[in-house]
Amino acid sequence: EVQLWESGGNLVQPGGSLRLSCAASGFIFSSYVMTWVRQTPGKGLEWISSISGSGGDTYYADSAKGRFTMSRDNSKNTVYLQMFSLRAEDTAVYYCAKGPQFDGFSFWGQGTVVTVSS
Amino acid sequence: EIVLTQSPGTLSLSPGERATLSCRASQSLSRNYLAWYRQKPGQAPRLLIYGASSRATGIPDRFSGSGSGTDFTLIISRLEPEDFAVYYCQQYGSSYTFGQGTKLEI
């Protein structure tokens, strides 16, 4: 059974940093692209970043470029999202997802809440 | 960026009825890389349909997807109580974007 478990969400002040983690199980982790997606009431679902199975290639939305860094540790079956210079508009539920492959984002974690506020 | 527009915004139906949800893309999607997700309150989205018309693992056959190019449809043939939720379409052929959602309410 595929499982994804995000952690690391918290209340952080504007300009602060936070690292999110997503632990995976139930599939051959290193064979899959992994992705972070966030959701806000105002903007809906927004793709943030993806990383190749090897970790050698990363992709970012414009909203994340230069401030967020996605990485993975295949020995721990975990992906990370390091976020810097956080802004109020980064407040969201952050989900990690398996994929995309030919079948889109086939499985999502339960999400972790990031609140950026003073 | 490919913009996806879903309609209607809200759909009010009863259990046992048929639901038809639409998703229109601002430009033609390569390889029909269009997915549909259902999101229940307090839960993560769940993949229902990928490649415009293929059901994901474990998804019952009352869900069907169709379409190509810029116009796509999700049909739920006989609504069950657990189907009342928000539905999102997503394209994954050119970066990744989501529609704004259709709320299916009783």
Side-chain angles (χ1 to χ4, degrees):
Chain A
E1 179 191 6
V2 173
Q3 292 193 353
L4 297 173
W5 190 263
E6 301 96 334
S7 60
N10 211 335
L11 170 65
V12 60
Q13 292 190 338
S17 301
L18 205 58
R19 188 177 85 155
L20 307 182
S21 301
C22 172
S25 64
F27 62 101
I28 303 173
F29 182 72
S30 60
S31 295
Y32 287 87
V33 175
M34 296 294 292
T35 294
W36 286 97
V37 175
R38 69 185 181 187
Q39 185 172 31
T40 63
K43 291 192 70 177
L45 291 163
E46 179 188 14
W47 168 74
I48 294 300
S49 181
S50 296
I51 189 167
S52 63
S54 67
D57 296 298
T58 51
Y59 311 87
Y60 298 96
D62 287 344
S63 59
K65 282 178 186 173
R67 297 190 304 127
F68 294 1
T69 301
M70 187 174 184
S71 61
R72 67 191 295 159
D73 184 339
N74 285 345
S75 70
K76 296 181 178 179
N77 284 6
T78 301
V79 292
Y80 305 97
L81 186 68
Q82 178 70 57
M83 303 185 291
F84 301 98
S85 303
L86 284 163
R87 309 164 180 163
E89 54 264 37
D90 296 318
T91 295
V93 178
Y94 284 74
Y95 295 101
C96 73
K98 176 173 170 273
Q101 308 285 112
F102 64 94
D103 56 351
F105 297 156
S106 58
F107 194 84
W108 300 52
Q110 87 296 341
T112 189
V113 178
V114 174
T115 303
V116 184
S117 175
S118 55
Chain B
E1 175 180 296
I2 296 177
V3 176
L4 299 179
T5 303
Q6 293 185 240
S7 61
T10 302
L11 186 57
S12 299
L13 293 169
S14 299
E17 290 192 302
R18 174 187 175 101
T20 302
L21 288 69
S22 295
C23 177
R24 175 164 290 178
S26 60
Q27 54 188 278
S28 186
L29 301 188
S30 63
R31 293 174 287 183
N32 283 339
Y33 273 1
L34 190 285
W36 290 94
Y37 301 86
R38 178 179 67 188
Q39 186 176 31
K40 299 178 184 178
Q43 295 186 18
R46 180 181 180 181
L47 178 67
L48 302 172
I49 301 288
Y50 64 89
S53 61
S54 297
R55 273 188 302 277
T57 302
I59 301 303
D61 60 7
R62 67 177 185 273
F63 291 91
S64 63
S66 64
S68 64
T70 60
D71 291 298
F72 300 87
T73 301
L74 174 70
I75 291 176
I76 312 170
S77 59
R78 299 170 306 279
L79 287 166
E80 299 284 344
E82 63 266 27
D83 297 333
F84 292 92
V86 180
Y87 291 80
Y88 294 96
C89 60
Q90 179 218 8
Q91 67 82 20
Y92 52 104
S94 174
S95 191
Y96 317 105
T97 52
F98 295 86
Q100 82 281 13
T102 290
K103 181 180 181 181
L104 180 53
E105 65 177 22
I106 298 178

